[in-house]
Amino acid sequence: MNQPLIGVDLVPLSRVDELLDPGIGPLLRKYLSPEELTVSRTPDGAPDQSRIAGRLAAKEAVFKLLGAVGRPVPWQGIEVLRGPGGRPGIRLSGRAAELARAAGLGPIDVSISHDAGFAIAVATSSSARSAPSHPATPPDHSTSPQSATPKGMP
């Protein structure tokens, strides 16, 4: 049985401003491949902050699908490129591809949006791994009705 997976990430455009600061060097090259940098430009050749933030958010969202919590993000191994019809497409290589195989991931789909100073991305896939044999059990609040409502909530 395939288990659906989802990853989401939000990146403020101010983060991109920091990465583009000439005083800190070519830090953006650590996160984006040469091909990604090329497609993340405005028509006049300047860096497009919205596209860069969208790609960073998509990379983080895809990383969440890999199930590698606590490990470094393989930034260069997760590429967010233009797919058919201009939709974003994901290309995995190196350690990211190995993590995807280990997680049993199927094809990855991603959606990116940006507005009001933020970019958000949602990545989805499915895993051939089976779901846990015992679903999580919600806490039993039957003995203390007030404990079910956090303090400060009506």
Side-chain angles (χ1 to χ4, degrees):
M1 178 176 147
N2 283 345
Q3 178 182 0
L5 301 171
I6 187 165
V8 178
D9 198 65
L10 179 73
V11 173
L13 297 186
S14 61
R15 181 173 169 199
V16 175
D17 280 337
E18 294 168 8
L19 294 173
L20 291 172
D21 182 346
I24 61 173
L27 192 55
L28 199 55
R29 288 187 174 96
K30 173 183 174 184
Y31 300 106
L32 299 179
S33 71
E35 192 172 350
E36 288 173 307
L37 287 168
T38 298
V39 297
S40 296
R41 298 206 168 273
T42 63
D44 65 355
D48 186 321
Q49 291 180 328
S50 294
R51 288 181 183 170
I52 292 169
R55 281 186 168 76
L56 294 173
K59 286 175 178 255
E60 291 264 8
V62 168
F63 180 69
K64 291 171 182 174
L65 298 177
L66 301 178
V69 176
R71 297 182 189 168
V73 177
W75 293 104
Q76 292 291 324
I78 303 170
E79 289 183 287
V80 184
L81 303 168
R82 286 189 185 139
R87 291 186 58 202
I90 300 297
R91 180 168 60 198
L92 300 178
S93 62
R95 199 168 124 262
E98 291 169 15
L99 290 168
R101 278 191 295 278
L105 292 187
I108 297 172
D109 196 16
V110 67
S111 179
I112 302 171
S113 185
H114 26 76
D115 190 25
F118 291 91
I120 189 168
V122 177
T124 63
S125 187
S126 61
S127 175
R129 287 184 169 177
S130 60
S133 58
H134 56 284
T137 306
D140 180 9
H141 297 289
S142 60
T143 58
S144 175
Q146 292 178 341
S147 68
T149 304
K151 289 184 180 181
M153 298 291 289

